[in-house]
């Protein structure tokens, strides 16, 4: 797969496809993710968006921040909507009604609309092989509706439906390995990315757009409102997630795993791997873990992160 070459000048001169003036919170991780992703488009593009934070903040009637054709769809069926758009474009081209050689289709959804409510539609579209890029912007809870826990919420995190008390240390379950679940669908491209490593994110977006078939991009998107941190620290926490291997960067091309550069450095120089405590501290959703009764949960989290990291290294042939 050829790598797309670009310069900062190329990105700066590309028209903004998500315009300023939307209603996202200060320090919004998903808004940064969207802008970076849209810098990688290669021509005409249609986006469809599941109900969620970015749908609400970008299209408060009668205004829109979108500078491309954009469709809001229900919480649970953005992948089905993207599949329908892709099929319609294919038929239009077959009938000679579409002048463009190719129109990129991107489906955007948060963790609630992907891990949980939208998994059935996503799995079905992947099984049928529809040609579109699915972007999961993962802020690790249902932020738009009140910070409820999702399948993407980490173990030990406080949410309004997994509150920390004297007995329960936040969410009891562990984060679902959604990207690995998508690799198991035998789709041509799956990758993880972080806005802290913007060049890696933009390159992976372009790869996902260029492959034939369903591509899945899992992007960590910190949320100051739900994670309870200062709005200036979004990129800092996104970077710490990579440095602690809470959210390692990798890609799978036709099922073959490989580490991306930032995580490969940690694999080759393990001393650079930061302890999970550095990522947890400063986030109010984990504040209760730094108490005597719940400090063991930090050790549990470190243990599961280490095990998942070792498993990933083996998949990447780096054991």
């Amino acid at each position: 797969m050829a790598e797309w070459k670009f310069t900062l000048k190329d990105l700066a001169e590309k028209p903004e496809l998500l315009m300023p003036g939307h209603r996202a919170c200060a320090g919004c991780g998903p808004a940064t993710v969207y802008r970076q992703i849209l810098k990688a488009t290669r021509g005409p593009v249609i986006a469809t968006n599941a109900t969620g934070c970015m749908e609400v903040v970008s299209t408060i009637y009668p205004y829109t921040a979108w500078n491309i054709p954009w469709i809001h769809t229900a919480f649970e069926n953005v992948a089905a909507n993207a599949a329908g758009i892709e099929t319609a474009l294919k038929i239009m081209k077959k009938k000679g009604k579409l002048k463009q050689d190719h129109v990129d289709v991107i489906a955007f959804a948060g963790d609630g609309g992907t891990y949980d409510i939208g998994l059935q539609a996503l799995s079905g579209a992947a099984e049928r092989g529809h040609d579109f890029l699915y972007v999961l912007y993962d802020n690790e809870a249902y932020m738009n509706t009140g910070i409820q826990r999702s399948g993407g919420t980490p173990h030990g995190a406080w949410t309004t439906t997994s509150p920390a008390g004297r007995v329960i240390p936040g969410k009891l379950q562990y984060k679902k390995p959604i990207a690995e679940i998508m690799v198991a669908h035998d789709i041509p491209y799956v990758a993880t990315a972080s806005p802290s490593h913007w060049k890696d994110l933009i390159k992976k977006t372009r790869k996902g757009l260029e492959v034939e078939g369903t591509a899945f991009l899992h992007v960590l998107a910190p949320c100051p409102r739900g994670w309870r941190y200062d709005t200036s620290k979004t990129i800092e926490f996104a970077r710490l997630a990579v440095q602690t291997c809470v959210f390692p960067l990798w890609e799978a091309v036709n099922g073959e795993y490989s580490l991306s550069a930032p995580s490969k450095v940690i694999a080759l120089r393990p001393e650079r791997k930061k302890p999970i405590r550095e990522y947890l501290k400063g986030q109010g959703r984990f504040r209760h873990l730094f108490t005597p009764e719940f400090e063991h949960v930090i050790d549990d989290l470190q243990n599961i992160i280490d095990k998942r990291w070792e498993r990933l290294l083996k998949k990447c042939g780096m054991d």
Side-chain angles (χ1 to χ4, degrees):
M1 185 183 295
E3 187 176 282
W4 176 46
K5 303 290 185 181
F6 62 89
T7 65
L8 279 173
K9 185 172 183 289
D10 296 331
L11 301 182
E13 292 178 348
K14 188 178 178 73
E16 292 289 345
L17 302 185
L18 182 71
M19 304 297 289
H22 54 69
R23 313 295 178 87
C25 301
C28 175
T32 301
V33 167
Y34 271 42
R35 286 192 65 210
Q36 291 180 4
I37 283 170
L38 292 170
K39 288 292 185 181
T41 55
R42 51 185 175 164
V45 57
I46 298 173
T48 178
N49 212 134
T51 296
C53 287
M54 287 306 297
E55 169 266 319
V56 170
V57 303
S58 65
T59 57
I60 296 178
Y61 183 82
Y63 307 105
T64 180
W66 291 90
N67 205 19
I68 55 173
W70 177 92
I71 301 169
H72 167 219
T73 189
F75 220 148
E76 70 275 7
N77 63 354
V78 69
N81 195 226
I85 295 168
E86 182 260 354
T87 301
L89 291 170
K90 190 182 297 182
I91 292 170
M92 288 171 67
K93 187 174 182 180
K94 188 176 181 180
K95 291 183 175 181
K97 295 182 178 181
L98 186 66
K99 295 180 181 179
Q100 290 85 0
D101 288 334
H102 191 82
V103 178
D104 289 328
V105 179
I106 306 178
F108 291 100
D111 49 293
T114 304
Y115 283 86
D116 307 328
I117 297 174
L119 185 58
Q120 181 181 16
L122 173 58
S123 180
E127 184 268 332
R128 295 189 300 274
H130 290 282
D131 186 14
F132 67 89
L133 171 63
Y134 189 104
V135 176
L136 158 60
Y137 68 93
D138 189 359
N139 52 23
E140 299 191 326
Y142 289 82
M143 301 304 182
N144 173 53
T145 53
I147 319 176
Q148 298 92 346
R149 57 88 82 197
S150 78
T153 304
H155 176 60
W158 168 93
T159 71
T160 54
T161 52
S162 63
R166 294 182 177 180
V167 177
I168 304 298
K171 187 188 173 189
L172 297 176
Q173 298 78 21
Y174 289 93
K175 188 179 179 78
K176 188 189 298 183
I178 190 70
E180 294 178 55
I181 291 170
M182 294 313 299
V183 174
H185 282 72
D186 284 332
I187 58 177
Y189 190 72
V190 176
T192 65
S194 170
S196 59
H197 297 80
W198 57 270
K199 188 178 291 187
D200 178 70
L201 171 53
I202 291 171
K203 286 180 179 180
K204 285 173 175 175
T205 300
R206 190 58 170 259
K207 285 182 181 180
L209 291 171
E210 289 178 348
V211 298
E212 294 293 328
T214 311
F216 182 84
L217 186 59
H218 181 189
V219 189
L220 187 68
C223 170
R225 181 73 182 89
W227 293 20
R228 301 293 203 253
Y229 62 79
D230 183 86
T231 56
S232 65
K233 295 183 179 294
T234 292
I235 299 303
E236 179 182 327
F237 280 114
R239 184 176 293 109
L240 277 169
V242 175
Q243 293 172 335
T244 56
C245 296
V246 166
F247 195 86
L249 303 182
W250 55 272
E251 61 185 352
V253 180
N254 295 317
E256 295 294 324
Y257 283 77
S258 63
L259 284 181
S260 304
S263 291
K264 193 171 185 178
V265 169
I266 296 172
L268 296 174
R269 299 187 64 182
E271 68 276 8
R272 290 197 178 186
K273 182 171 178 282
K274 294 186 176 181
I276 196 172
R277 285 175 178 270
E278 293 195 26
Y279 173 70
L280 300 178
K281 67 184 180 183
Q283 295 186 52
R285 62 177 179 159
F286 294 118
R287 181 177 55 193
H288 57 281
L289 299 184
F290 292 87
T291 59
E293 60 266 37
F294 290 142
E295 197 142 9
H296 68 277
V297 178
I298 298 178
D299 296 331
D300 293 341
L301 281 165
Q302 186 69 69
N303 184 48
I304 192 68
I305 292 302
D306 291 344
K307 285 182 177 178
R308 289 187 174 186
W309 173 243
E310 291 299 325
R311 191 165 64 220
L312 176 61
L313 291 180
K314 290 180 180 179
K315 288 181 178 180
C316 295
M318 300 186 70
D319 57 325

